């Protein structure tokens, strides 16, 4: 990994003691506000305190729009020495720190494959400049949290782009990760914890591993951006237009809020005001992280449109400043660690027109003060896995044939299968005896180790075959094939310990499974926003409208 002497010195600095800061900026209220997701009640669930290593390669902005916009801008035309200087600005970390692997998708007929980039933002404050912009000096040197995470999916034919945001307080199981610096092994989380804790388990590569475990989506790259880069980048492009439907001042009586102050209408924000927009939670809609994600989506869409339309980027000085700020702000995986690689990536991304960009938030439901993925979230993940555009403009296409698993299936009579009943629906109770019936079918077809679990699961809309690790994928595929269950319903899951067939609500009776017609629509609960929608406007909470 690339590290300068100054950065090594930064890593050795101890966390300074200091008085509490009463005026906590928005986004840092999770440190002392028990009433919001990520507050003190979460500290016992994942061990986020202590053990942090302040380092520049970890620092990143808690929002994600700029990271993609930087890539879209691209850099070119520098002389060799300047080119090497820019390369030296870029920080890198390993892509995946987990043991689990998700195979790359099958190429389409033209030999093209999709591109998946995880954009990560952290609340780390590990430099004086970033601390000054982010505030809260008591967080200096603490374990970073991945408070914003967005998956950017570019289709195989580069015709469309889909973005999926995950709320920071989503409950997930973080896999075992090994720190690339000191070899420390962070064990898998004991149960579900907040997804933002993954960054503290060795770095961004553990956040990548967590996403892959949850979604089954192969991730090609990750990108992070720091606070100082945000301020300078927004200035470099001349400001990013954003809209509020009423006057707003993001500040309450206790001092919570980003400080954003705008009059009703559209404004080109830049500098610290752009940072405030991206960090604002108090004042937007219901004051949740979901509202903040929506504001970030609007900013990102607007930034992309601005970069495409902004003639000032043809000015060499403007472009050089943009290149300098972009490379200094980035932390990436080794696959993106040079200007040339970033430029090549930008060339790929520039093919997508704004009207084919779709921003979404992972569908979720509250579990106390936290959230968890819903069935609609799995639908969204499936569309991404199968490279189906979220804007609904793809012609109906036959999914690519699944690749062969790395480990072939064992003989049928050696495969242990647990069959569970998930036929309950919102309107109907579980269909009696379904686990026994389907287990009997498997035994008749040679899977003599199939057994029925007498317990009844919560509703499962579709019949699924789940497996916990790559070495059992072939076994799971073999079970599904014997019953006519499509390959798209075979899923890796950390919720099972072996091959598990869940009989869903689509198979409440009979002995012949008929797969329902695939629904390729983006769930309404994903709150999709089109990249060309310049009319989007954030709704202001009247309590924050002066």
């Amino acid at each position: 990994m690339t590290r300068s002497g100054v950065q090594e010195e930064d890593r050795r600095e101890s966390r300074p003691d200091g008085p509490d800061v009463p005026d906590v900026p928005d986004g840092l209220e999770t440190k002392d506000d028990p009433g919001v997701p990520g507050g003190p009640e979460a500290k016992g669930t994942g061990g986020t305190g202590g053990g942090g290593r302040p380092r520049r390669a970890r620092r990143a902005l808690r929002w994600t729009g700029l990271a993609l916009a930087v890539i879209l801008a691209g850099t070119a035309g520098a002389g060799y020495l300047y080119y090497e200087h820019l390369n030296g600005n870029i920080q890198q970390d390993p892509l995946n720190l987990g043991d689990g692997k998700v195979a790359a998708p099958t190429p389409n007929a033209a030999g093209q494959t999709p591109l998946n980039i995880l954009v990560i933002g952290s609340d780390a404050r590990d430099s004086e400049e970033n601390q000054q912009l982010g505030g809260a000096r008591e967080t200096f040197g603490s374990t970073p949290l991945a408070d914003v995470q967005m998956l950017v999916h570019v289709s195989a034919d580069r015709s469309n782009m889909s973005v999926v945001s995950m709320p920071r307080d989503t409950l997930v199981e973080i896999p075992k990760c090994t720190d690339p610096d000191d070899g420390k092994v962070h064990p898998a989380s004991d149960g579900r914890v907040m997804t933002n804790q993954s960054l503290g388990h060795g770095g961004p590569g553990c956040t990548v591993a967590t996403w892959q475990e949850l979604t089954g989506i192969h991730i090609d790259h990750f990108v992070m951006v720091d606070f100082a880069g945000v301020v300078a980048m927004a200035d470099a492009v001349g400001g990013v237009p954003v809209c509020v439907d009423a006057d707003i001042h993001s500040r309450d009586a206790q001092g919570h809020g980003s400080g954003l102050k705008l009059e009703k209408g559209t404004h080109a924000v830049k500098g610290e005001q752009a940072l405030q927009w991206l960090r604002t939670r108090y004042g937007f809609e219901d004051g949740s992280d979901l509202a903040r994600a929506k504001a970030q989506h609007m900013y990102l869409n607007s930034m992309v449109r601005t970069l495409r339309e902004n003639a000032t980027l043809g000015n060499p000085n403007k472009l050089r400043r943009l290149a300098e700020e972009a490379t200094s702000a980035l932390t990436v995986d080794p696959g993106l660690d040079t200007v040339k690689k970033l430029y090549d990536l930008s060339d790929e991304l520039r093919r997508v027109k704004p009207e084919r960009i779709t921003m979404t938030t992972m569908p979720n439901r509250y579990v106390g003060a936290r959230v968890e993925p819903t069935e609609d979230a799995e639908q969204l993940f499936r569309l991404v896995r199968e490279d189906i555009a979220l804007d609904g403009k793809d012609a109906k296409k036959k999914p690519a044939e699944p690749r062969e698993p790395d480990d072939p299936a064992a003989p049928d009579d050696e495969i242990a299968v647990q069959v569970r009943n998930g036929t309950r629906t919102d309107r109907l109770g579980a269909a009696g005896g379904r686990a026994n019936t389907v287990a009997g079918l498997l035994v008749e077809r040679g899977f003599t180790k199939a057994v029925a679990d007498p317990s009844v699961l919560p509703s499962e809309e579709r019949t699924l075959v789940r497996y916990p690790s790559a070495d059992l994928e072939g076994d799971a595929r073999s079970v599904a094939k014997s019953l006519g269950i499509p390959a798209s319903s075979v899923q890796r899951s950390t919720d099972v310990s072996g091959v598990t067939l869940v009989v869903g609500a689509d198979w409440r009776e009979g002995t012949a499974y008929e797969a329902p017609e695939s629904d390729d629509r983006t769930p309404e609960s994903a709150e999709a926003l089109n990249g060309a929608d310049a009319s989007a406007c954030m709704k202001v909470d009247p309590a924050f409208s002066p």
Side-chain angles (χ1 to χ4, degrees):
M1 284 177 285
T2 303
R3 296 286 186 269
S4 71
V6 172
Q7 290 152 4
E8 289 297 327
E9 184 175 339
D10 285 345
R11 292 175 58 189
R12 293 191 293 269
E13 287 185 5
S14 61
R15 179 176 173 179
D17 295 326
D20 291 337
V21 178
D23 187 14
V24 181
D26 188 43
L28 299 181
E29 65 282 334
T30 58
K31 303 295 181 186
D32 56 8
D33 184 355
V36 300
E41 74 277 17
K43 292 182 179 178
T45 63
T48 60
R53 298 181 316 285
R55 61 180 191 168
R56 190 170 176 226
R58 294 285 195 268
R59 62 182 203 190
L61 179 62
R62 300 184 60 245
W63 66 282
T64 60
L66 183 60
L68 177 58
V70 167
I71 296 172
L72 286 169
T75 56
Y80 176 75
L81 292 178
Y82 189 59
Y83 172 81
E84 288 300 305
H85 164 73
L86 293 178
N87 285 344
N89 287 344
I90 302 169
Q91 303 300 305
Q92 63 167 291
D93 255 13
L95 175 62
N96 187 349
L97 301 183
D99 295 333
K101 307 295 180 184
V102 174
T106 303
N108 62 15
Q112 303 164 306
T113 55
L115 185 62
N116 295 307
I117 307 164
L118 187 62
V119 186
I120 306 169
S122 163
D123 72 347
R125 309 292 194 276
D126 54 4
S127 75
E128 289 187 9
E129 187 176 12
N130 280 328
Q131 184 188 342
Q132 194 171 38
L133 291 169
R137 64 175 62 109
E138 75 276 9
T139 67
F140 188 93
S142 61
T143 303
L145 300 173
D147 272 357
V148 171
Q149 302 165 34
M150 280 186 183
L151 179 67
V152 178
H153 170 85
V154 188
S155 65
D157 63 5
R158 305 301 188 255
S159 67
N160 64 87
M161 183 186 300
S162 303
V163 179
V164 180
S165 292
M166 184 188 297
R168 63 176 179 176
D169 54 348
T170 301
L171 295 175
V172 299
E173 293 188 358
I174 299 175
K176 181 181 76 172
C177 293
T178 303
D179 193 297
D181 287 341
D182 56 17
K184 178 181 178 181
V185 175
H186 296 263
S189 59
D190 183 13
R192 298 191 304 175
V193 298
M194 287 171 57
T195 184
N196 67 351
Q197 296 174 18
S198 60
L199 190 62
H201 288 221
C206 195
T207 306
V208 169
T210 301
W211 266 80
Q212 291 196 155
E213 286 283 344
L214 176 68
T215 67
I217 298 169
H218 174 80
I219 295 176
D220 301 284
H221 301 291
F222 74 79
V223 176
M224 299 202 302
V225 177
D226 70 17
F227 282 125
V230 174
V231 173
M233 282 291 299
D235 286 343
V237 299
V240 177
V242 296
C243 175
V244 287
D245 72 350
D247 295 353
I248 181 174
H249 185 199
S250 178
R251 185 73 71 197
D252 66 10
Q254 289 73 45
H256 298 134
S258 69
L260 178 70
K261 193 171 185 179
L262 290 174
E263 295 181 353
K264 176 181 178 180
T266 300
H267 308 270
V269 295
K270 55 185 177 179
E272 290 193 55
Q273 196 172 48
L275 186 62
Q276 289 173 335
W277 175 273
L278 294 162
R279 294 173 53 244
T280 293
R281 183 167 68 81
Y282 288 94
F284 283 157
E285 298 188 353
D286 62 356
S288 70
D289 280 326
L290 304 179
R292 175 157 49 196
K294 186 181 294 186
Q296 292 166 353
H297 291 167
M298 290 182 184
Y299 183 96
L300 173 53
N301 283 338
S302 186
M303 173 71 95
V304 170
R305 292 193 301 268
T306 300
L307 284 166
R308 284 176 170 271
E309 300 165 0
N310 196 334
T312 64
L313 295 182
N315 181 308
N317 289 332
K318 290 274 188 180
L319 186 57
R320 184 167 60 181
R321 180 183 176 191
L322 185 61
E324 190 76 43
E325 299 298 343
T327 54
S328 296
L330 292 178
T331 301
V332 298
D333 66 275
L336 294 177
D337 64 353
T338 68
V339 171
K340 172 69 164 57
K341 293 175 183 177
L342 289 170
Y343 181 77
D344 288 345
L345 178 60
S346 76
D347 195 47
E348 295 279 314
L349 298 176
R350 273 197 296 264
R351 301 184 196 180
V352 183
K353 297 179 180 179
E355 55 266 27
R356 294 302 312 276
I357 298 175
T358 306
M359 303 283 175
T360 64
T361 298
M362 181 198 76
N364 60 84
R365 58 176 161 249
Y366 278 99
V367 181
R370 308 286 175 254
V371 300
E372 66 180 5
T374 63
E375 294 75 16
D376 280 355
E378 173 51 36
Q379 164 77 347
L380 194 65
F381 299 152
R382 180 184 68 81
L383 295 178
V384 173
R385 286 196 302 267
E386 297 180 8
D387 196 25
I388 297 172
L390 299 187
D391 61 8
K393 296 179 180 178
D394 266 357
K396 188 69 176 179
K397 58 184 180 182
K398 182 180 179 181
E401 287 297 318
R403 55 158 187 83
E404 288 298 317
D406 294 333
D407 288 341
D412 293 351
D413 61 357
E414 295 181 10
I415 299 175
V417 187
Q418 184 181 67
V419 183
R420 308 193 69 183
N421 188 342
T423 57
R424 176 185 296 164
T425 70
D426 292 338
R427 295 181 293 107
L428 300 172
R434 292 308 292 160
N436 282 320
T437 298
V438 175
L441 287 174
L442 285 171
V443 170
E444 290 175 6
R445 297 176 190 190
F447 295 88
T448 55
K449 291 187 176 181
V451 296
D453 184 329
S455 63
V456 175
L457 293 174
S459 174
E460 193 68 67
E461 185 178 348
R462 298 170 61 196
T463 296
L464 302 170
V465 181
R466 292 178 170 139
Y467 62 96
S469 55
D471 60 309
L472 293 178
E473 182 181 2
D475 295 356
R477 293 261 195 98
S478 184
V479 169
K481 186 176 181 180
S482 73
L483 295 173
I485 298 171
S488 61
S489 294
V490 179
Q491 299 174 359
R492 185 169 176 174
S493 171
T494 56
D495 292 335
V496 298
S497 57
V499 176
T500 303
L501 192 158
V502 181
V503 185
D506 60 348
W507 198 11
R508 290 179 58 86
E509 59 186 13
T511 56
Y513 179 71
E514 295 182 9
E517 185 175 348
S518 180
D519 181 2
D520 292 341
R521 293 173 298 178
T522 299
E524 289 186 10
S525 56
E527 299 190 18
L529 177 66
N530 185 270
D533 186 358
S535 66
C537 204
M538 285 303 297
K539 184 177 180 181
V540 174
D541 180 347
F544 290 84
S545 187

